[in-house]
Amino acid sequence: MRKYVVMGVPGSGKSTQGAMLAREYDLVQISVGDVFRWHVKNHTKIGAQVRRIMAAGELVGDDLVERIVRDRLDQHDWNYGFIIDGFPRNRRQAEFFLESYDIDGVIYLDLPDSEVRRRVLARRLCSVCGMDYNLIEDRPKRAGRCDVCGGELVTREDDTPDALAARLRDYHEKTNPVLELFRRKEFVFGVDAQHDPETVQRDIRERLGLDGHHPVRPLEEDDSARPD
């Protein structure tokens, strides 16, 4: 059984790399951000709370995040292991996670803030079906319209310049200490995330010492994960 955490700034490709690794090694991919977006899309009470927080460019509180993670992992559908991204984001969450679950490694996707801004501000979301696009590498066939349903493409509420700047500040202030905590336990495997997804994936597998017989394949069109 393999249990990994993927960490990195917004736009570093956590969901994409997690999906590629999960597919080849039968891991369950758990994206805390996707869980929150599901609640927002389905207009739950949690979703309404998260929408207000995301629109302000802030991070969701520890109690709510820990509850979401605990509820998801308590489903125990991860027979061969899991890979989780978007958590932990601060020292308290990291300590909660280490007390509750054993992990085999923390994959740290290293990306400069300048590249983060370039990637994140190019992201678009279909207002109807929720399909993700990136205007740098994943343009729709028809400008401003979803290839799947024809819905209008919009900017995520948390992808404005001001909201992104707030998220980056929070990341560096709160998440860097988490990396230091994991580094002291020798859990962290750093990877340069500026390369194409397949190269980054190969680097991850090499750093983790995973079976070299698993080829690195790009995500298929129907894969749900996109660069986070």
Side-chain angles (χ1 to χ4, degrees), residues 21-40:
L21 203 64
R23 181 179 60 183
E24 296 302 331
Y25 295 94
D26 294 322
L27 307 178
V28 171
Q29 183 185 16
I30 301 170
S31 171
V32 174
D34 286 347
V35 174
F36 284 134
R37 280 188 282 273
W38 181 90
H39 280 283
V40 170

Side-chain angles (χ1 to χ4, degrees), residues 18-199:
M20 295 173 78
L21 203 64
R23 181 179 60 183
E24 296 302 331
Y25 295 94
D26 294 322
L27 307 178
V28 171
Q29 183 185 16
I30 301 170
S31 171
V32 174
D34 286 347
V35 174
F36 284 134
R37 280 188 282 273
W38 181 90
H39 280 283
V40 170
K41 182 178 179 181
N42 287 277
H43 305 289
T44 68
K45 291 182 179 179
I46 291 176
Q49 183 178 353
V50 170
R51 180 184 289 274
R52 290 192 297 270
I53 295 170
M54 292 173 65
E58 299 174 356
L59 295 179
V60 178
D62 293 334
D63 290 338
L64 183 55
V65 174
E66 290 170 13
R67 171 186 162 191
I68 290 290
V69 171
R70 185 184 295 109
D71 289 348
R72 179 63 187 87
L73 291 176
D74 281 351
Q75 295 179 29
H76 291 291
D77 57 347
W78 33 278
N79 295 331
Y80 297 99
F82 61 77
I83 183 163
I84 185 169
D85 74 70
F87 181 89
R89 287 184 171 175
N90 59 41
R91 189 179 183 88
R92 170 182 155 171
Q93 292 176 9
E95 290 172 346
F96 155 79
F97 197 60
L98 289 173
E99 290 171 0
S100 304
Y101 308 97
D102 295 324
I103 59 173
D104 297 299
V106 175
I107 303 161
Y108 173 57
L109 301 176
D110 191 10
L111 194 69
D113 285 359
S114 58
E115 179 64 11
V116 172
R117 285 188 287 269
R118 189 179 79 91
R119 292 185 183 187
V120 168
L121 297 181
R123 298 194 299 197
R124 297 295 183 271
L125 182 72
C126 177
S127 59
V128 178
C129 72
M131 179 67 71
D132 282 324
Y133 292 86
N134 188 293
L135 301 184
I136 298 172
E137 297 179 348
D138 187 27
R139 289 179 174 273
K141 296 176 182 176
R142 179 184 171 196
R145 292 291 172 180
C146 177
D147 292 340
V148 177
C149 71
E152 181 184 3
L153 299 186
V154 298
T155 301
R156 291 181 186 175
E157 291 183 358
D158 57 336
D159 278 353
T160 64
D162 289 344
L164 176 59
R167 285 156 62 198
L168 285 172
R169 282 196 302 271
D170 274 332
Y171 177 85
H172 292 302
E173 291 174 2
K174 298 178 181 179
T175 310
N176 284 349
V178 174
L179 285 170
E180 291 306 314
L181 175 64
F182 285 140
R183 285 191 179 106
R184 287 200 295 271
K185 296 180 179 293
E186 300 184 348
F187 284 152
V188 179
F189 301 87
V191 176
D192 185 351
Q194 296 185 78
H195 303 296
D196 63 88
E198 289 73 30
T199 299

